[in-house]
Amino acid sequence: MLNTIAPGAGAGIIVKKGERLKVICPEGHQVSDMFCFSESDYGESLSSSVSVDRAEKIFLSAGDVLVSNRGNVMLKILGDTHGRSDFLLPPCRESENGHTGCFENLSSTFLAYGISADRVGTAFNIFMNVEVSAEGRLVIHPSEARSGDYVEFEAQMDLVVGLTACAHLLTNGGSLRPIQWEILPQNA
Amino acid sequence: MLNTIAPGAGAGIIVKKGERLKVICPEGHQVSDMFCFSESDYGESLSSSVSVDRAEKIFLSAGDVLVSNRGNVMLKILGDTHGRSDFLLPPCRESENGHTGCFENLSSTFLAYGISADRVGTAFNIFMNVEVSAEGRLVIHPSEARSGDYVEFEAQMDLVVGLTACAHLLTNGGSLRPIQWEILPQNA
């Protein structure tokens, strides 16, 4: 079943070990922020730097894994038609947007599971287009995702996933669009 | 008073708002990992990505600030004779080192304050020398800090700081050296 996250909104998704989560950019040029916790122990959550360390690179794609603060693999990237996602910048906030941001959307999603907003860390920025200069300067460009681009993950443990249709105007080329997702059964 | 962290060890330091924390590399070529919590509410802790977002760059130095998960400035970098520190990679771990790492040293430091190891996030890697290629590949080079190099921070709130003399051999050019620190009173 294909689910749609409205522009600027978020969703909470339970993904069981072995299931696949497909995150789709239906109209192109739209970023999706993803953060997650182990469903069996909320003390274990996604770690940007441990994931980057494992990959030995900033931009993660098919074949790379997303790793927890305890060093365990949470998600494996099975497929990626776009090829550019990162952990560089934090979820956008109401204080910078002037309207509800990914941080607020992720926080309210996880609060429904009893997880404090303080535990929402650096999200995986799917389809995001951040330029890193030779001197390490960061410049946000509009997402270059095309209509239908997707990233498919396979859960390596039971997870509570928070997913957004990013609410930051610059990141998404000046207007907000939906994100779609679906759960697919374990690969045979 | 000048304090010394033995090679491969760590320290817990209370820094009150307005006080300065000076982190010194006495022998050169040695990285120090720093993580911190608000002393008044351990739910508030250092955020790598919020800090990088505020600076709009990967390598932070004098004039930049270290920011919390709640968006509040925790530390201001007043001085930096070296000029290269980052948030790219996580604290080294026993599982990769084969001996106690910065993660274990930070965790045991914060555990003394009742803070769980799960809350120890991406540390500020002082004096660290990570090369970022145009394609986003990360390569760790030995620290190029010289003997006597220091970074001086000013606390913007009361803090519990964990500081290490990094235990990762590659990062430190093949041998582990001490780190020194001192608390200086508020600037007049």
Side-chain angles (χ1 to χ4, degrees):
Chain A
M1 196 187 74
L2 199 59
N3 303 274
T4 299
I5 302 175
I13 309 165
I14 299 291
V15 190
K16 295 291 185 184
K17 182 178 177 176
E19 288 182 341
R20 288 171 290 146
L21 170 65
K22 191 170 174 178
V23 179
I24 304 150
C25 188
E27 301 179 10
H29 310 294
Q30 175 62 45
V31 169
S32 175
D33 274 20
M34 183 173 72
F35 195 76
C36 59
F37 293 86
S38 163
E39 195 191 11
S40 66
D41 183 347
Y42 298 157
E44 182 162 22
S45 60
L46 182 60
S47 169
S48 54
S49 62
V50 176
S51 299
V52 163
D53 193 17
R54 196 70 61 94
E56 299 184 350
K57 60 187 174 183
I58 284 178
F59 303 107
L60 276 63
S61 186
D64 295 321
V65 293
L66 305 191
V67 187
S68 79
N69 56 343
R70 296 181 188 172
N72 300 315
V73 177
M74 304 185 92
L75 291 156
K76 190 171 168 179
I77 306 179
L78 291 186
D80 180 359
T81 62
H82 180 57
R84 194 172 182 97
S85 301
D86 67 58
F87 278 111
L88 288 165
L89 295 168
C92 63
R93 293 190 187 225
E94 186 162 6
S95 56
E96 59 175 315
N97 289 347
H99 56 265
T100 302
C102 289
F103 180 75
E104 288 77 23
N105 286 325
L106 290 172
S107 297
S108 61
T109 291
F110 290 120
L111 200 58
Y113 295 89
I115 302 168
S116 149
D118 285 332
R119 300 296 317 278
V120 178
T122 305
F124 190 50
N125 303 309
I126 303 168
F127 308 128
M128 188 146 173
N129 185 11
V130 179
E131 179 193 344
V132 183
S133 78
E135 304 78 37
R137 286 251 152 225
L138 300 181
V139 182
I140 298 174
H141 295 291
S143 170
E144 292 186 347
R146 296 149 303 179
S147 170
D149 269 341
Y150 67 85
V151 181
E152 187 178 316
F153 304 90
E154 184 185 68
Q156 307 300 300
M157 61 174 74
D158 296 347
L159 296 170
V160 182
V161 174
L163 193 70
T164 74
C166 173
H168 190 261
L169 283 168
L170 177 57
T171 305
N172 302 296
S175 62
L176 304 182
R177 301 175 187 81
I179 284 289
Q180 292 183 317
W181 60 273
E182 60 183 330
I183 299 290
L184 301 164
Q186 189 156 12
N187 268 327
Chain B
M1 195 187 73
L2 200 59
N3 304 274
T4 299
I5 302 174
I13 309 166
I14 299 291
V15 190
K16 294 293 185 182
K17 182 177 178 177
E19 287 181 341
R20 289 171 290 146
L21 170 63
K22 191 170 175 179
V23 179
I24 305 151
C25 190
E27 300 178 11
H29 310 292
Q30 175 62 45
V31 169
S32 175
D33 274 21
M34 183 174 73
F35 195 74
C36 59
F37 293 86
S38 163
E39 195 191 11
S40 65
D41 182 348
Y42 299 156
E44 183 162 20
S45 60
L46 183 60
S47 169
S48 54
S49 62
V50 176
S51 299
V52 163
D53 194 17
R54 195 70 62 94
E56 299 184 350
K57 59 187 175 183
I58 284 178
F59 303 107
L60 277 63
S61 185
D64 295 320
V65 293
L66 305 191
V67 188
S68 80
N69 56 342
R70 297 182 187 171
N72 300 314
V73 177
M74 304 185 93
L75 291 155
K76 190 171 169 180
I77 306 179
L78 291 186
D80 180 359
T81 61
H82 180 57
R84 194 171 182 99
S85 302
D86 67 60
F87 278 111
L88 288 165
L89 295 168
C92 63
R93 292 187 189 228
E94 185 162 6
S95 55
E96 59 176 314
N97 288 347
H99 57 265
T100 301
C102 289
F103 180 75
E104 289 77 24
N105 285 325
L106 291 171
S107 296
S108 62
T109 291
F110 289 121
L111 200 58
Y113 295 90
I115 302 169
S116 150
D118 285 333
R119 300 297 317 278
V120 178
T122 305
F124 190 50
N125 302 309
I126 303 167
F127 308 127
M128 188 146 172
N129 185 11
V130 180
E131 179 193 344
V132 184
S133 79
E135 304 77 36
R137 286 252 153 224
L138 300 180
V139 182
I140 297 174
H141 295 291
S143 170
E144 292 185 349
R146 296 150 300 181
S147 171
D149 269 341
Y150 67 85
V151 181
E152 187 178 314
F153 303 90
E154 184 185 67
Q156 307 299 301
M157 60 174 74
D158 296 347
L159 296 169
V160 182
V161 173
L163 192 71
T164 73
C166 173
H168 190 261
L169 281 168
L170 178 57
T171 305
N172 302 297
S175 62
L176 305 182
R177 300 175 188 82
I179 284 289
Q180 292 183 314
W181 60 273
E182 61 182 328
I183 298 290
L184 301 164
Q186 188 155 12
N187 268 327

